[in-house]
Amino acid sequence: IPPEQYHADPVEGGSLTSSGARKLLRCPARFRHELDCPPAPTEAMEVGSAAHRLVLGVGPELVRVEAPDWRSSAARAERDRARAEGKIPLLAHQHDAVHAMAARLREHPLAGALLRRPGKPEQTLVWRDSRTGVRCRAMVDYLSTPRRRLILVDYKTTSDASDDGIRSSVARYGYHQQAAWYCAGVRALGLSDDPAFLFIFQEKEPPYLARVVELDRPAMEYGEQRNRRALEIYRECVESGRWP
């Protein structure tokens, strides 16, 4: 389904995503507020979305704005017009950077090969958690057609693709929960009993270094535990109507 339909939640009665589960663990009240009043995308988020568009080959159209920054009224007007049309506005240097990132990634011996495997980008999974009855959903960046093992690929832009940088990102953004959430969906739908979830991390500055990472078992188990607690909180909040 189209990303905009996915993000609007196509599931009757509502469903929970991995990002929602992570927000719930921080504060249910904030989760509810952001669900009712979605925040506007930041510039960094738009650059990341643009990189996704070029790497995966699907997504909103990119609009190059010939300006060094957003200070001029003409640049801001062009930016606002692009956003209103559902497109992603990029300054000239940002536009050049995301194209260079995509080109570099295609050359990467492992990341490029993963994205060339038979499969489909941005595939939606919807399932019901058997313990809580909560409806769940996820959108996989790239879902490969199984050969010997089903592989789910997720593309992340980052400022630091070193071991320490990736560990920090996993802990800060809850990527261990995301990996466990998506694998749970695959198993619940009967697509695979033993899926592999691989992250592609790529730096946003030249030379746009990339790493392919699979989280270890302890990280996945901790992600599963956190997700289990989030599902319980979500059920409690929905049933009580209270988001503390």
Side-chain angles (χ1 to χ4, degrees):
I1 63 174
E4 57 271 17
Q5 184 182 351
Y6 169 82
H7 292 298
D9 194 350
V11 180
E12 185 177 355
S15 60
L16 186 62
T17 65
S18 170
S19 60
R22 287 171 269 169
K23 290 176 185 176
L24 269 172
L25 291 174
R26 291 197 295 271
C27 178
R30 180 171 296 279
F31 164 82
R32 185 70 245 183
H33 173 75
E34 293 187 4
L35 200 63
D36 296 334
C37 308
T42 64
E43 188 172 339
M45 290 170 61
E46 287 187 324
V47 171
S49 296
H52 268 78
R53 166 71 176 83
L54 295 174
V55 167
L56 300 174
V58 293
E61 180 183 340
L62 308 185
V63 176
R64 180 187 177 102
V65 179
E66 295 296 342
D69 52 50
W70 300 114
R71 294 178 186 176
S72 73
S73 58
R76 292 196 300 272
E78 193 170 353
R79 176 194 64 191
D80 295 344
R81 184 165 55 253
R83 287 175 176 171
E85 295 173 354
K87 302 173 183 178
I88 300 177
L90 297 171
L91 296 168
H93 70 275
Q94 295 172 334
H95 189 272
D96 293 342
V98 294
H99 275 81
M101 290 170 66
R104 184 62 184 263
L105 199 64
R106 285 191 288 270
E107 297 170 354
H108 191 279
L110 183 52
L114 281 171
L115 296 173
R116 287 192 297 271
R117 284 171 59 98
K120 294 181 179 181
E122 294 194 341
Q123 295 298 292
T124 296
L125 311 177
V126 178
W127 70 98
R128 187 185 297 277
D129 177 61
S130 60
R131 293 191 192 178
T132 61
V134 170
R135 298 294 296 273
C136 307
R137 75 183 195 276
M139 179 171 277
V140 184
D141 278 355
Y142 196 80
L143 184 64
S144 69
T145 302
R147 291 179 181 174
R148 284 175 292 184
R149 191 182 187 192
L150 181 70
I151 298 178
L152 297 82
V153 181
D154 194 81
Y155 173 64
K156 304 289 189 190
T157 57
T158 181
S159 60
D160 183 2
S162 68
D163 285 349
D164 287 343
I166 291 173
R167 289 190 190 102
S168 177
S169 293
V170 170
R172 180 178 181 182
Y173 299 113
Y175 291 155
H176 53 308
Q177 286 183 245
Q178 181 191 1
W181 186 271
Y182 284 41
C183 287
V186 165
R187 288 192 291 269
L189 293 170
L191 300 178
S192 172
D193 292 331
D194 183 32
F197 192 100
L198 301 180
F199 287 102
I200 299 176
F201 288 94
Q202 185 175 28
E203 294 184 357
K204 294 178 284 187
E205 299 291 335
Y208 310 114
L209 302 176
R211 301 273 305 280
V212 176
V213 174
E214 183 175 16
L215 302 185
D216 61 19
R217 190 63 237 167
M220 293 292 285
E221 289 174 351
Y222 184 52
E224 291 167 3
Q225 293 169 13
R226 298 282 287 171
N227 290 341
R228 179 54 47 200
R229 179 59 186 141
L231 286 162
E232 292 169 354
I233 291 173
Y234 182 80
R235 179 182 62 180
E236 291 167 6
C237 290
V238 169
E239 290 178 350
S240 68
R242 295 181 60 253
W243 302 84

